[in-house]
């Protein structure tokens, strides 16, 4: 398996990189790519930085330079569903971009030009592996993850995203990485561990839970590696 792994922040991936053997590092467009091995898998891991454009740039370079069979986005997210709690893991069934709005031009809300759809489907093969590895654990859920270039921290935003996209969690990268993978025909998955509830205190709660939530997501990924 040749696998690309992308996170937004170092804390979301550092312990995974530490487990890699025969590591070689290359920097392109300000992003460091760590190439090495975990078991029988060839891994290219990268920290893209927060936000959709950073994530898309990282994913496109990873695909063109390193040709992974699969790309997995890993990291933390905010819950926007009563069924998903802090430190639960959401394996994305699909990803959307909640901040795309060309409705005045007649397009559906969230419709992605070039991809020509709203929901980017995640890899059934990778999701089956991840959910099987989770072994029906109560803290592992699946659902739609919504991405946008905003840190969600209000009930008004939660209501808008859940009503329009039926999402269960929000982040700032997975939708754009999924978008890049989709138009490049690379299978994609997103593993998001919940760090906060996207409410008025989320900016405080997220940092309190960041490290432990990140390790929860890495723990599931390691089970398939």
């Amino acid at each position: 398996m040749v696998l690309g792994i992308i996170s937004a922040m170092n804390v979301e991936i550092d312990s995974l990189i530490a487990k890699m053997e025969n590591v070689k590092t290359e920097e392109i467009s300000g992003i460091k790519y760590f190439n090495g091995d975990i078991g029988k898998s060839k891994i290219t891991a990268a920290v893209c930085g927060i936000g959709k454009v950073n994530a898309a740039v990282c994913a496109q370079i990873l695909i063109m330079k390193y040709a992974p069979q699969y790309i997995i986005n890993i990291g933390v997210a905010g819950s926007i569903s009563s069924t998903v709690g802090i430190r639960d893991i959401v394996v994305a069934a699909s990803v959307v971009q909640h901040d795309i709005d060309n409705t005045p031009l007649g397009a559906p809300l969230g419709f992605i030009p070039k991809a020509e759809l709203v929901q980017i489907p995640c890899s059934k093969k990778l999701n089956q592996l991840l959910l099987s590895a989770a072994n029906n654990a109560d803290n592992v859920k699946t659902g739609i993850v919504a991405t946008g270039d905003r840190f969600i921290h209000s009930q008004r935003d939660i209501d808008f995203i859940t009503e329009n996209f039926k999402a269960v969690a929000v982040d700032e990268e997975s939708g754009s990485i999924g978008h890049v993978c989709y138009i490049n025909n690379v299978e994609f998955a997103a593993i998001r561990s919940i760090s906060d509830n996207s409410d008025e205190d989320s900016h405080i709660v997220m940092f309190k839970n960041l490290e432990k939530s990140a390790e929860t997501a890495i723990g599931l990924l390691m089970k398939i590696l």
Side-chain angles (χ1 to χ4, degrees):
M1 181 184 293
V2 181
L3 183 65
I5 302 172
I6 300 174
S7 72
M9 297 179 285
N10 291 90
V11 67
E12 296 171 314
I13 206 170
D14 275 350
S15 66
L16 180 77
I17 293 171
K19 295 176 174 68
M20 292 167 57
E21 299 178 338
N22 309 311
V23 177
K24 295 181 179 179
T25 305
E26 186 172 13
E27 185 169 328
I28 305 171
S29 298
I31 301 170
K32 289 184 178 179
Y33 294 85
F34 299 85
N35 297 281
D37 307 315
I38 295 180
K40 295 181 180 179
S41 297
K42 298 289 183 182
I43 306 294
T44 300
V47 179
C48 66
I50 294 171
K52 289 168 59 178
V53 174
N54 287 330
V57 168
C58 179
Q60 188 64 51
I61 291 171
L62 201 160
I63 290 168
M64 295 181 73
K65 176 72 175 179
Y66 304 106
Q69 295 171 280
Y70 311 97
I71 288 181
I72 296 178
N73 176 221
I74 189 167
V76 300
S79 171
I80 56 172
S81 169
S82 61
T83 65
V84 179
I86 289 175
R87 257 177 257 156
D88 282 353
I89 294 173
V90 175
V91 175
S94 62
V95 291
V96 299
Q97 297 180 51
H98 64 76
D99 58 353
I100 294 180
D101 186 356
N102 287 310
T103 54
L105 303 177
L109 186 65
F111 185 78
I112 304 167
K114 295 292 186 183
E116 302 301 311
L117 39 65
V118 174
Q119 290 190 34
I120 299 287
C122 294
S123 167
K124 291 182 179 180
K125 179 178 181 179
L126 287 176
N127 280 5
Q128 286 173 355
L129 284 172
L130 289 164
L131 295 173
S132 177
N135 196 27
N136 296 315
D138 291 338
N139 71 320
V140 179
K141 316 290 176 63
T142 188
I144 298 169
V145 176
T147 296
D149 275 325
R150 295 168 56 212
F151 184 82
I152 301 302
H153 60 103
S154 74
Q155 189 61 48
R156 179 181 178 181
D157 289 337
I158 291 171
D159 291 344
F160 173 82
I161 296 168
T162 55
E163 287 171 11
N164 287 287
F165 298 100
K166 313 303 180 189
V168 299
V170 288
D171 65 21
E172 295 185 52
E173 296 82 29
S174 64
S176 55
I177 296 172
H179 180 176
V180 171
C181 289
Y182 184 81
I183 63 177
N184 282 279
N185 296 311
V186 175
E187 292 198 47
F188 163 78
I191 306 170
R192 287 287 178 166
S193 182
I194 301 301
S195 61
D196 62 87
N197 290 314
S198 304
D199 55 20
E200 290 80 1
D201 296 323
S202 58
H203 62 295
I204 299 170
V205 175
M206 188 270 281
F207 284 110
K208 288 183 178 179
N209 293 302
L210 179 58
E211 187 171 346
K212 288 184 178 179
S213 293
E215 284 303 312
T216 302
I218 288 171
L220 177 58
L221 177 59
M222 286 300 300
K223 288 183 179 180
I224 71 168
L225 295 177

